[in-house]
Amino acid sequence: MNEMDPDLTVRVGPLRLKNPVLAASGTFGYGREFEPLFDPALLGGIVVKGLSLEPRAGNPPPRIVETPCGMLNAIGLANIGVKRFLEEKLPWLQRLDTTVVVNIYGHSVEEYGEVAGALRGVEGIDALEVNISCPNVKQGGMAFCTDPMMSARVTETVLERSDKPVIVKLSPNVTDIREPALAVEKAGAHALSLINTITGMVVDVEARRPALANVKGGLSGPAIRPVAVRMVYEVVEAVRIPVIGVGGIATAKDALEFLITGARAVEVGTAGFADPLATLKILDGLSGFCRSRGIDRVEDLIGTLETDRRF
Amino acid sequence: MFECEPEITAHREVAPGTYLMTLREASIAKQARPGQFVMLRAFSGMDPLLRRPFSICGRIGEDAFGVLYRVVGRGTAVLAKQRTGDRIQVLGPLGNGFQTGPASGSFILAGGGVGVAPLFFLAQTLLGQGDRTPAFLAGFSGKQEVLSPGDVLQLDLEAEIATEDGTLGHAGPVTDLLEPHLAVCAEQGNKTTVCACGPPAMLERVAALARAAGASCQVSLESAMACGLGACLGCTVHAAPQEGIPYLRVCREGPVFPAEAVDWSRAGAGWS
């Protein structure tokens, strides 16, 4: 390492990442899709596409529509299921020299437990990220994340069945995100990631129909970044476990907003669609920022936000 | 696959609201196969955000390729404002192109509107292979919209034209032109491949006519896309039952599909 190069390694609870930039779930496939363009091992980690016990087809098209500074998607958590993931995708991920996080979801508390159990003891998976934004089929379809008690139960179940660090991904579609954050922390989660997409809707005025076949979708991209930063700010104030910032990060400056606010790492998603090399550019920018300001370790920036009223 | 920022070496309006952009990037021009596409981004900043997918419409000279597009929204409006000498972000070539194979047999290319774009590239490639001159059928709304392989790409190939309003060529849909060609091929017992690109309704009809005539048929489909790499799963179309999977990604399994892989009863839903 060059003397001038800042130390980009960060600790996120039990995880030690080579740098604070991860690829977000659902935007990086199973890791290989971007391989023709760059070595995914350059990233601090990758979070693979949300995995359920059984394969899932996803929603009918149209599934995406562009919005001002963002996009709305209703992919419907399409994925190949645990069995095929382990057979087809894992061997390549096991050889990948960076942190591999597997995003999991279920439609019942039991299903979350079963997915976590199926990944127990599997080498090459460094942590689980639990998506709690799904509808709870057994409880009238209300999303787990909207009920702190259900969020906690999912977390406990995954922790019981898993031997890996558990990151719970929080949804912004709640009144006060500190409530699920605290409940999940109390349940034993090792870390939190936030935010997931914000529920939205777009109407095609010519057709007088929703732009998406699913009617509603999840809003992502730079449009949601200030919401994400605000929520990270609220959560890092409230909990003691580490937080990973997610939501509209497209540049190094965006990533810095989250790190300074107190996130220990960031996930980049939609920006990687607009520019597949966005993550690498963010890494370069973080190094450059640290270097130009004489900061030796990126960890020294984390949580350095000043909120004294001086205006 | 390359991620690059080539220079626009030519850019002209070839029909009202339809442009031909020439991009100098030897790596893409050399690697690209007919039917493959590129993702273009000509905007800085975050709005519009996503790259737009466009078929490659042909090789231009030694080291450049063309993109033929129609201005339909914000992304293409920005694209149309780019000038010769500007640079834009390009990712490609992407996806699976037309299967031309070494086999003998005749090719019929059928395009609707700006859907002729990938067929120009295919025609150019077939013409470069000597005795494989395809029949080129193209349908447009009217005379003003006509895009011919000779005018746009200087290909030595006469197109049969159909216009909906009857202002040029046959008055009616392009599929009217296809039927007699298929009949001749069926009569002669020739192995025939139909390659088509255009609106979903046209493609559905082309696929049905080809099937009835015993010709193989490949279609190039269009979809909104976020990544073009197979990661976002945003560009799916309904697969035919025998595919064994419910959806196909236009970017990875396509954009060119065997016509029988697509569930035509649900193709094109929602997008125009």
Side-chain angles (χ1 to χ4, degrees), chain A residues 20-239:
Chain A
V21 178
L22 297 94
S25 176
T27 65
F28 209 65
Y30 297 100
R32 272 191 106 156
E33 285 78 352
F34 284 73
E35 201 188 11
L37 296 169
F38 69 92
D39 179 4
L42 293 170
L43 302 179
I46 65 172
V47 189
V48 301
K49 175 79 184 156
L51 203 59
S52 54
L53 198 57
E54 300 298 330
R56 203 175 150 86
N59 290 326
R63 291 178 168 185
I64 58 170
V65 62
E66 192 177 67
T67 59
C69 298
M71 65 181 280
L72 193 71
N73 88 81
I75 306 300
L77 294 164
N79 79 100
I80 59 174
V82 168
K83 187 168 173 289
R84 276 187 61 198
F85 171 76
L86 293 175
E87 288 169 7
E88 297 171 23
K89 306 296 179 184
L90 185 71
W92 182 83
L93 289 166
Q94 285 173 328
R95 291 193 298 274
L96 190 67
D97 181 27
T98 191
T99 302
V100 173
V101 181
V102 174
N103 183 289
I104 65 167
Y105 75 94
H107 290 96
S108 65
V109 174
E110 295 73 27
E111 194 186 341
Y112 279 98
E114 286 183 61
V115 183
L119 301 174
R120 186 185 182 92
V122 175
E123 271 183 45
I125 299 175
D126 300 298
L128 301 183
E129 181 180 69
V130 185
N131 174 5
I132 57 168
S133 302
C134 311
N136 183 352
V137 172
K138 290 189 181 172
Q139 304 273 333
M142 204 173 78
F144 291 95
C145 60
T146 57
D147 179 349
M149 254 180 48
M150 288 309 297
S151 303
R153 272 196 57 203
V154 168
T155 307
E156 283 161 9
T157 305
V158 171
L159 283 162
E160 274 166 27
R161 299 289 298 273
S162 181
D163 57 346
K164 303 184 189 308
V166 172
I167 304 160
V168 177
K169 188 168 187 177
L170 299 181
S171 165
N173 305 309
V174 294
T175 308
D176 183 352
I177 197 164
R178 287 168 297 195
E179 290 183 7
L182 286 163
V184 160
E185 177 185 45
K186 199 166 168 227
H190 297 91
L192 302 171
S193 55
L194 58 132
I195 58 177
N196 209 322
T197 56
I198 301 175
T199 307
M201 182 170 162
V202 171
V203 173
D204 177 340
V205 297
E206 292 299 330
R208 300 193 196 183
R209 294 179 65 87
L212 301 182
N214 189 58
V215 183
K216 294 183 281 185
L219 184 65
S220 65
I224 74 168
R225 194 179 62 246
V227 178
V229 174
R230 185 264 293 179
M231 289 189 162
V232 166
Y233 171 70
E234 289 175 341
V235 170
V236 295
E237 294 263 286
V239 303

Side-chain angles (χ1 to χ4, degrees), chain A residues 26-27 29 33-34 36-37 49 57-64 66-71 75 78 222 250 270 273-277, chain B residues 1 3 41 46-52 74 91 224-227 229-234 236-238 246-247 252 269-271:
Chain A
T27 65
E33 285 78 352
F34 284 73
L37 296 169
K49 175 79 184 156
N59 290 326
R63 291 178 168 185
I64 58 170
E66 192 177 67
T67 59
C69 298
M71 65 181 280
I75 306 300
T270 301
F273 296 153
D275 178 0
L277 303 182
Chain B
M1 187 193 305
E3 152 69 20
R41 195 173 197 273
M46 299 296 164
D47 195 35
L49 181 67
L50 301 170
R51 295 180 182 219
R52 304 294 199 260
R74 296 192 307 156
L91 175 65
M225 283 179 195
C227 72
L229 296 166
C232 75
L233 311 182
T236 51
V237 290
H238 291 277
Y247 298 106
R252 281 302 283 273
W271 295 103

